Amino acid sequence: MIISQLISLAIATLIYLNSITINRQLNAKLPNFNEPLRNLTFGKINFLHTTDTHGWYIGHTNQKQYSSDWGDFISFYENLKNNHNDSDLLIIDTGDRHDGNGLSDLTSPNGLKSNDIFKNVDYDLITVGNHELYNADVSKLEYDTMVKHYGEKFVSTNVLYMDDDGNWVTFGNQYRYFQSNVNGYNILSFSFMFDFKMGNERVEVLPIMEIINEQWFIDILIDYSTNYPVDLIIIFGHLPVSHDWFEMYQLHSILRKYFPDTFIQYFGGHSHIRDFSIIDELSTGLQSGRYCETIGFLSIDDLKNTENITVDRKYIDFNLHSFMHHTNHNEIDKFNTDKGLMVSQKLFEYSEELNLNEVYGYVPQNYYMYAAEYYHKDKPDPKSLLRFLENSILPQLIPKICYDDNNSDNDKAEPPFLLNSTNNDRIILINTGGIRYDLYKGEFTKNSLFTVSPFKNKWNVIPNIPSEIAIKLQWILNSGDYILSNGIKLKNSHQLSIKEDNDYNINDNYINDNYINDNNINDIKLSYGYTTIDDKGNDGDDTIHRKIPVYKVPNVIQTYENNGNAYTDVVYYDFIQPFILHALSIACDGDKQLFKELITNVSLYNDCYNEFNLGELLKQFAIKSWQ
Ligand SMILES: *[C@@H]1O[C@H](CO)[C@@H](O)[C@H](O)[C@H]1NC(C)=O
Ligand SMILES: *[C@@H]1O[C@H](CO)[C@@H](O)[C@H](O)[C@H]1NC(C)=O
Ligand SMILES: *[C@@H]1O[C@H](CO)[C@@H](O)[C@H](O)[C@H]1NC(C)=O
Ligand SMILES: *[C@@H]1O[C@H](CO)[C@@H](O)[C@H](O)[C@H]1NC(C)=O
Ligand SMILES: *[C@@H]1O[C@H](CO)[C@@H](O)[C@H](O)[C@H]1NC(C)=O
Ligand SMILES: [Zn+2]
Ligand SMILES: [Zn+2]
């Protein structure tokens, strides 16, 4: 946020807080400054942790709970560091800075402007996520600018990059050994990416299971455990810290072999949750959510007294109330730092250049992915984003071929036929794993095109399936986790990490109650938000929230245009074709001949992703119906 010198900016809205004028990004709302907060506990060494930001540096303009921008965050960090200058404060990012927001995804290569914003934070340790590795141009940008900017602090122990001379090099530093500034702790750090196979041709991820048997890795452990003082080992990287993540435990047992008495702290990411796990008496792991909703905080006291180390953690909501409270500020102009203001200003300029605030319509209500009940016994919840997509968004899809990209699929001899579908029924299937975020009441902008689903999928079709077979597909795909014989799962790791409240009842008093009876917080209206339960209990969230229900969501949703015809055309994201074909073979009930016949005319249905991906379909609807 920025003060009065920016009033002239057309995109800024003026809001009055303690009679000081503030400008907010894209009309972002202010948080509720009366919400009850838990305090942070500081130790001799403390950490701030970000992960899976996916370009959300403008903040969540339609959600006051996460309405700060990256400039506010920088002011928070600088204030916190000043206030606690007798202890160490390290700041760490564990990757996935791309894909999911207009700021990152509207430039070519993706990340050009968002990286420029991000790198104003002086991270002590930073690494890549899988979203830095899909596209070769993105990996090159990351290597050429971010690795260069952060130097030895950019660490990737198991990710390799092919540089412009064709040499395979580590994606940054292989590991980092350094001393903390204030208390002089000796820190050995490594960074690991989960076993990721879908990277571009210029990157390679060496599986952790291989690294732990590599001599060079063991040599580092031997060298540092015998020749150097090590007070703390930091393993940060793009993999979850949950107990069921096998790779982390394999790594941990090797580390323990060489460092039986050293504290090992993990920082993780990728599954987009808030989590804290206790791994052994001298080791814990922290994971700090997603999309600039959360800043993770961790304190350790006291590393030199290994008999009695105290670790604490908090998940800080990304808003000014939290940021100002934890830094003991109640005046915005005293909270803002020069650098924070500069970054907010830069965000304004980039938003304007990219037209992020171009409004296509006004979303009339909130639509939720997990907080609304898709499977309602009587009638589906009108707040279900998935039902809304089925009923109103997917039906807008039409067959159309653009040939507007350089995809080699289009070089196939015969152009895919344009479906003459007037006589058939139609089913459109998408996997819910491709839907990334809720849709909130307020302006539907150019930025919103990327937040619900940033993916540029194309659509394929299997025409002329007997309707009684076609209607079985969704049911087959939604029975269980749906894993193909080669181990590929239909659910992504974000979905697998979600713990559903299976018997959540929307009529529960718990939900209808506007107040929660708690002696400490009587009569304060709580807002919905994270109510995390982790290995340390239920007091991790800095803001005391009401619980958001988490309902079961299907693996796939479908629009079924049923006119009672004998045949149905089945349309789906090309990305999920292996799952569709497998489900169709099951639906054919062992009749291999029939299956073979049915798939003879599988073809492209719509490759115009600049007009017909999910974000663009939402935009069409906004223009038509949300004025
Ligand atoms: C948090 O810290 C502030 C300032 O030190 C104090 O006034 C307040 O009582 C603390 N709140 C809680 C819940 O401990
Ligand atoms: C730490 O902060 C205190 C209080 O603001 C200040 O007096 C002191 O100079 C600071 N120390 C360092 C090393 O910056
Ligand atoms: C361990 O730490 C706790 C909290 O700081 C303290 O109350 C306790 O006395 C310590 N115990 C020992 C044995 O040092
Ligand atoms: C296709 O590739 C050519 C050559 O690489 C490039 O100039 C052109 O812009 C590309 N077309 C599209 C639509 O991406
Ligand atoms: C496939 O397309 C051909 C040519 O249009 C048509 O003759 C045939 O019946 C189609 N088969 C199926 C199973 O749709
Ligand atoms: Zn992510
Ligand atoms: Zn990831």
Side-chain angles (χ1 to χ4, degrees):
M1 128 234 29
I2 229 132
I3 45 176
S4 21
Q5 74 267 27
L6 278 177
I7 284 175
S8 59
L9 276 174
I11 55 172
T13 309
L14 309 183
I15 291 165
Y16 296 90
L17 164 68
N18 298 342
S19 78
I20 290 167
T21 309
I22 322 171
N23 289 1
R24 311 282 302 161
Q25 306 290 346
L26 309 182
N27 306 328
K29 300 174 177 68
L30 280 175
N32 173 3
F33 284 87
N34 294 318
E35 270 185 315
L37 297 179
R38 300 180 176 104
N39 287 338
L40 309 181
T41 311
F42 285 81
K44 291 215 170 72
I45 185 164
N46 309 287
F47 301 87
L48 290 181
H49 177 217
T50 55
T51 191
D52 297 272
T53 55
H54 289 279
W56 283 77
Y57 311 127
I58 283 162
H60 294 240
T61 55
N62 287 347
Q63 288 169 279
K64 59 185 177 186
Q65 201 64 39
Y66 313 117
S67 56
S68 271
D69 69 22
W70 202 246
D72 297 339
F73 170 52
I74 287 172
S75 296
F76 170 63
Y77 166 60
E78 292 187 334
N79 276 294
L80 206 64
K81 202 156 178 151
N82 275 339
N83 291 357
H84 300 273
N85 66 7
D86 55 344
S87 58
D88 285 300
L89 178 63
L90 272 61
I91 182 162
I92 298 178
D93 184 79
T94 45
D96 271 9
R97 295 176 284 273
H98 297 257
D99 300 333
N101 198 280
L103 183 72
S104 55
D105 300 356
L106 273 167
T107 58
S108 181
N110 154 338
L112 213 50
K113 288 187 172 11
S114 56
N115 278 1
D116 198 41
I117 294 293
F118 179 91
K119 70 181 200 237
N120 287 290
V121 178
D122 297 326
Y123 281 93
D124 296 286
L125 292 170
I126 172 172
T127 189
V128 287
N130 50 309
H131 284 269
E132 279 74 60
L133 306 180
Y134 287 106
N135 179 292
D137 292 338
V138 168
S139 296
K140 179 171 162 56
L141 176 76
E142 203 66 20
Y143 188 83
D144 290 349
T145 61
M146 300 296 261
V147 171
K148 186 159 173 244
H149 178 80
Y150 285 104
E152 64 172 288
K153 297 168 178 179
F154 201 114
V155 182
S156 301
T157 308
N158 72 333
V159 184
L160 299 178
Y161 175 72
M162 192 205 287
D163 68 16
D164 290 345
D165 302 325
N167 302 315
W168 286 98
V169 295
T170 47
F171 209 118
N173 210 352
Q174 195 172 44
Y175 66 97
R176 183 178 184 217
Y177 178 72
F178 64 108
Q179 281 69 40
S180 70
N181 287 333
V182 178
N183 288 314
Y185 290 124
N186 299 291
I187 301 171
L188 178 62
S189 59
F190 298 93
S191 172
F192 292 95
M193 157 77 74
F194 72 95
D195 187 7
F196 175 65
K197 303 259 187 262
M198 284 153 69
N200 66 73
E201 63 282 2
R202 288 184 77 160
V203 300
E204 190 184 350
V205 177
L206 307 169
I208 291 174
M209 301 301 289
E210 284 174 24
I211 295 264
I212 58 180
N213 295 314
E214 296 267 358
Q215 199 53 46
W216 63 262
F217 182 65
I218 306 229
D219 285 345
I220 295 170
L221 299 183
I222 292 173
D223 190 23
Y224 281 86
S225 60
T226 46
N227 301 324
Y228 296 87
V230 176
D231 302 308
L232 172 67
I233 294 175
I234 296 177
I235 306 294
F236 69 110
H238 201 70
L239 78 173
V241 300
S242 57
H243 291 290
D244 53 8
W245 204 270
F246 179 72
E247 291 181 288
M248 185 180 70
Y249 276 88
Q250 296 302 308
L251 175 64
H252 189 68
S253 62
I254 296 292
L255 295 171
R256 268 286 166 257
K257 202 164 137 192
Y258 295 95
F259 295 92
D261 312 314
T262 308
F263 198 89
I264 303 176
Q265 178 61 43
Y266 293 81
F267 293 92
H270 184 60
S271 55
H272 291 187
I273 59 171
R274 294 179 171 189
D275 198 12
F276 177 80
S277 54
I278 298 175
I279 293 151
D280 64 29
E281 279 113 75
L282 287 174
S283 179
T284 67
L286 179 73
Q287 194 177 326
S288 304
R290 58 171 192 181
Y291 308 148
C292 294
E293 292 173 340
T294 305
I295 302 297
F297 172 83
L298 185 107
S299 61
I300 308 178
D301 195 67
D302 157 12
L303 284 171
K304 298 283 188 192
N305 173 11
T306 49
E307 296 293 296
N308 192 13
I309 292 185
T310 312
V311 180
D312 202 8
R313 51 79 184 96
K314 280 284 172 294
Y315 311 103
I316 299 170
D317 277 1
F318 203 89
N319 67 56
L320 271 182
H321 176 41
S322 287
F323 289 173
M324 290 171 69
H325 173 86
H326 298 309
T327 53
N328 302 321
H329 278 285
N330 49 27
E331 288 178 50
I332 192 73
D333 59 347
K334 294 200 173 130
F335 167 79
N336 283 328
T337 64
D338 290 346
K339 195 175 189 185
L341 291 173
M342 182 273 285
V343 170
S344 293
Q345 155 113 52
K346 220 169 179 182
L347 276 166
F348 274 113
E349 289 163 8
Y350 284 165
S351 299
E352 207 166 46
E353 283 171 36
L354 297 172
N355 269 324
L356 289 182
N357 58 326
E358 186 178 354
V359 176
Y360 302 121
Y362 298 83
V363 186
Q365 62 161 85
N366 294 346
Y367 291 99
Y368 301 108
M369 171 97 176
Y370 294 101
E373 199 175 8
Y374 175 85
Y375 288 108
H376 193 283
K377 289 154 215 83
D378 308 317
K379 61 174 170 44
D381 188 336
K383 292 194 284 305
S384 166
L385 176 63
L386 300 177
R387 289 292 179 190
F388 171 65
L389 296 174
E390 287 180 345
N391 295 337
S392 304
I393 299 304
L394 293 177
Q396 299 174 113
L397 183 65
I398 55 165
K400 185 172 175 186
I401 305 298
C402 288
Y403 295 112
D404 69 346
D405 72 345
N406 289 330
N407 190 324
S408 55
D409 288 354
N410 289 345
D411 299 337
K412 285 175 189 158
E414 284 295 301
F417 62 75
L418 264 183
L419 198 66
N420 175 8
S421 62
T422 46
N423 296 324
N424 285 348
D425 288 353
R426 182 172 72 156
I427 283 178
I428 305 171
L429 278 157
I430 63 171
N431 60 316
T432 58
I435 298 157
R436 297 284 288 275
Y437 206 64
D438 297 334
L439 185 58
Y440 286 90
K441 181 176 172 170
E443 290 161 334
F444 187 91
T445 62
K446 191 163 186 180
N447 195 41
S448 318
L449 291 181
F450 297 88
T451 59
V452 172
S453 185
F455 305 108
K456 302 202 153 177
N457 289 97
K458 296 176 194 169
W459 304 90
N460 283 359
V461 63
I462 311 176
N464 301 325
I465 299 184
S467 295
E468 71 271 14
I469 292 181
I471 58 170
K472 290 182 186 162
L473 295 175
Q474 185 188 28
W475 185 84
I476 293 168
L477 288 164
N478 282 338
S479 52
D481 283 345
Y482 216 82
I483 302 170
L484 294 185
S485 53
N486 54 5
I488 301 175
K489 299 183 177 83
L490 186 51
K491 277 188 174 161
N492 63 33
S493 60
H494 317 144
Q495 291 180 300
L496 289 167
S497 68
I498 286 169
K499 296 175 187 74
E500 294 143 5
D501 306 329
N502 281 324
D503 51 5
Y504 220 104
N505 181 345
I506 200 77
N507 296 319
D508 216 316
N509 289 336
Y510 185 35
I511 279 292
N512 284 338
D513 197 356
N514 278 339
Y515 300 89
I516 286 193
N517 295 323
D518 181 314
N519 293 336
N520 301 321
I521 47 169
N522 31 358
D523 280 0
I524 298 168
K525 194 173 181 198
L526 299 178
S527 61
Y528 285 116
Y530 282 100
T531 50
T532 310
I533 297 172
D534 59 26
D535 281 4
K536 210 171 185 306
N538 61 3
D539 61 353
D541 304 294
D542 81 323
T543 311
I544 303 175
H545 282 296
R546 299 165 71 193
K547 188 170 168 30
I548 299 177
V550 179
Y551 294 102
K552 193 173 162 54
V553 305
N555 299 334
V556 296
I557 58 173
Q558 75 174 17
T559 292
Y560 182 21
E561 291 157 341
N562 175 8
N563 298 312
N565 289 314
Y567 291 93
T568 299
D569 301 326
V570 175
V571 179
Y572 50 87
Y573 274 165
D574 62 349
F575 175 74
I576 59 168
Q577 179 150 306
F579 297 96
I580 300 284
L581 295 184
H582 189 253
L584 182 61
S585 74
I586 293 174
C588 289
D589 204 14
D591 188 340
K592 290 194 174 132
Q593 189 54 38
L594 173 63
F595 174 68
K596 261 177 126 173
E597 261 170 48
L598 290 180
I599 64 171
T600 45
N601 291 334
V602 171
S603 59
L604 194 59
Y605 185 74
N606 185 315
D607 67 346
C608 312
Y609 51 72
N610 288 326
E611 282 174 76
F612 288 97
N613 83 336
L614 211 52
E616 293 292 334
L617 290 172
L618 279 162
K619 173 181 160 184
Q620 286 181 25
F621 187 84
I623 290 170
K624 215 169 52 205
S625 308
W626 280 342
Q627 293 309 307

